[in-house]
Amino acid sequence: MKEVIKNYGSIILLLIGISIGSLVGIFLPDLVDILKPIGDIFLNLLFVSVIPLLFFAISSSIANIEDSNKLGKTIGIMTAVFVGTIVIAAIATIAGLWAFPVTATTDGSAVNEALSTNADETWGDRIVRFLTVDEFANLLSRKNILAFVIFSLLVGTATRKSGEMGKQFTNFLNAGNKVMENLLILVMKAGPIGLGAYFAYQVKTLGPELFGFYAKPLGFYYGFGILFFFVFFTLYAFIAKGGAGVSSFWKHNISPSLTALSTCSSLATLPANLIAANRIGIPKEIASIVIPIGNTLYKNGSSISSILKIYVAFSILGWDFFEPSTLITAVGITVLVSMVAGGIPNGGFIGEMLMISIYGIPNEAVPSILIIGALVDPLATVLNATGDTVAAMLVTRFSGEKFNPEQAEA
């Protein structure tokens, strides 16, 4: 029993906190408004910790890579893993919808709001926002996280190219990375209380909506998504590290999964993912690149929901979703939505507008696309966020790097 508590104590406390929060959300909803500020405080601590954590983790990893070919190889393999597995998720979803067709009821309440937001913004403007900000201070906002990741990559590269003059700065980056890792561990000790409070809020606000007009497509998403989560992530972990990889991934993926489910935020889950990657034994120089970039650009859950949204819109309009050119276009849109739009502020909305414009979807189907996107968010976040860790395992495998010995829970 002592060994169990030592290895799984933090996870057990997290499960207890979330279970209590769920019960409060169901049976004592009046308490939720009192508890929510506690959850917000915890979430805010995570968000303010993530920015310096990202900077030191990415920059120090790049600065410590002496072989530039190795860096290029890692990024190339990472891109192939991201694109390949997102396409797999999209094709698997299409197959699932073909085997288990669903329909949805539509309403017109969200049309005007959807069509009026950012109507004058061009794709050129979005690309600029996708890659950069106009002032340094804006880099520190989590709304511009991809621009911050790119900046951190450039700082690490510049440090590595500075030779002897850059060694002192490399030492500073390494020290900062270690300090932020310990800060993260301190913040996560409040996880059982903070995530429990936030989970009570999620159960109260989202729970009743799951059984309304969109029950069938949501039932498909949650059923298929859970199956995808366990089957495909297990397969990826097995490819990466065999049977030991499967047990190690699921052992250390519990805390990130619960964090994602509670907060509905991939960014809030990033610290837990980095801890899990370290315990699984993923080399730090890979985890510190793949997981932060994947947090922005790699989204399995968004891939599944993108296909489902297009399918539901076609179903409402009576169009043939399974026509070959439609399917090919749907997979292409899904890659863009999952990888490109994910790095843009309000990227989910932009992705939805992209599919509406490409297919010429009329107004009556727009609300279904928007509402489904909101209601699948908890599971989509779990798939989006925790997929980064298993992707890092695959990159380790395909790059020929060796896994470090597995570590116990702290």
Side-chain angles (χ1 to χ4, degrees):
M1 179 60 69
K2 288 183 179 180
E3 192 68 21
V4 171
I5 293 174
K6 178 182 177 182
N7 291 332
Y8 298 97
S10 60
I11 292 175
I12 292 171
L13 289 174
L14 202 58
L15 286 170
I16 291 172
I18 286 178
S19 299
I20 293 173
S22 301
L23 294 174
V24 170
I26 295 171
F27 298 108
L28 299 170
D30 293 339
L31 289 179
V32 171
D33 291 336
I34 299 174
L35 293 175
K36 185 175 181 292
I38 299 175
D40 288 336
I41 289 171
F42 173 73
L43 206 57
N44 288 342
L45 282 172
L46 273 181
F47 284 141
V48 298
S49 301
V50 160
I51 296 299
L53 173 70
L54 273 177
F55 173 75
F56 285 111
I58 296 173
S59 298
S60 64
S61 293
I62 299 296
N64 284 294
I65 296 176
E66 296 182 359
D67 185 356
S68 58
N69 291 330
K70 182 178 179 181
L71 175 61
K73 180 181 177 182
T74 299
I75 293 177
I77 293 172
M78 176 190 71
T79 302
V81 168
F82 285 0
V83 174
T85 51
I86 284 174
V87 170
I88 289 172
I91 293 173
T93 307
I94 291 171
L97 287 168
W98 180 80
F100 302 99
V102 296
T103 57
T105 304
T106 185
D107 63 66
S109 60
V111 174
N112 291 333
E113 179 183 354
L115 297 180
S116 62
T117 304
N118 290 342
D120 297 328
E121 188 176 43
T122 66
W123 277 101
D125 295 332
R126 290 165 185 162
I127 291 172
V128 171
R129 288 197 298 117
F130 177 61
L131 297 174
T132 60
V133 294
D134 56 354
E135 293 186 20
F136 178 80
N138 293 333
L139 280 174
L140 304 181
S141 171
R142 59 188 172 91
K143 296 179 181 178
N144 301 313
I145 198 67
L146 181 60
F148 185 76
V149 167
I150 292 173
F151 174 78
S152 301
L153 284 167
L154 292 175
V155 169
T157 302
T159 303
R160 186 167 55 82
K161 288 182 174 294
S162 298
E164 290 294 324
M165 295 293 292
K167 285 188 176 180
Q168 288 186 340
F169 194 74
T170 300
N171 292 335
F172 163 73
L173 292 175
N174 292 337
N177 188 36
K178 186 63 178 179
V179 170
M180 293 313 303
E181 286 179 0
N182 288 323
L183 173 63
L184 174 59
I185 292 172
L186 288 175
V187 172
M188 288 303 295
K189 288 186 181 299
I193 297 173
L195 294 181
Y198 216 86
F199 209 81
Y201 170 74
Q202 294 286 358
V203 170
K204 177 189 174 184
T205 55
L206 189 61
E209 298 182 44
L210 295 178
F211 302 99
F213 292 122
Y214 299 91
K216 289 183 178 180
L218 292 178
F220 173 86
Y221 186 91
Y222 280 89
F224 180 82
I226 291 171
L227 182 68
F228 184 92
F229 180 57
F230 287 107
V231 173
F232 280 80
F233 283 11
T234 297
L235 176 62
Y236 295 155
F238 181 81
I239 292 172
K241 199 182 175 185
V246 173
S247 60
S248 181
F249 173 74
W250 287 113
K251 175 182 177 181
H252 299 296
N253 193 47
I254 297 173
S255 181
S257 298
L258 293 176
T259 303
L261 188 64
S262 302
T263 63
C264 289
S265 170
S266 293
L267 188 59
T269 311
L270 190 150
N273 274 340
L274 289 172
I275 292 174
N278 183 52
R279 290 172 177 163
I280 290 169
I282 299 170
K284 185 165 291 187
E285 62 270 20
I286 290 178
S288 297
I289 296 171
V290 175
I291 292 178
I293 294 176
N295 187 266
T296 304
L297 300 181
Y298 178 60
K299 300 184 180 296
N300 285 278
S302 297
S303 176
I304 297 171
S305 67
S306 173
I307 296 294
L308 179 62
K309 290 172 191 175
I310 297 171
Y311 173 87
V312 168
F314 272 55
S315 176
I316 290 170
L317 297 168
W319 297 354
D320 182 11
F321 173 75
F322 293 103
E323 196 272 326
S325 63
T326 298
L327 296 179
I328 294 171
T329 304
V331 172
I333 290 174
T334 295
V335 172
L336 286 173
V337 169
S338 302
M339 295 191 66
V340 178
I344 306 174
N346 299 316
F349 173 81
I350 292 172
E352 288 156 357
M353 292 300 100
L354 174 65
M355 69 178 70
I356 289 168
S357 63
I358 288 178
Y359 284 116
I361 294 174
N363 289 358
E364 59 264 31
V366 172
S368 298
I369 293 174
L370 299 177
I371 292 170
I372 288 173
L375 294 182
V376 302
D377 198 33
L379 181 57
T381 305
V382 173
L383 293 167
N384 290 341
T386 62
D388 299 338
T389 306
V390 79
M393 293 178 70
L394 288 172
V395 172
T396 302
R397 167 70 175 82
F398 294 138
S399 63
E401 296 293 319
K402 300 294 184 182
F403 285 88
N404 300 320
E406 182 183 344
Q407 298 182 25
E409 301 286 343

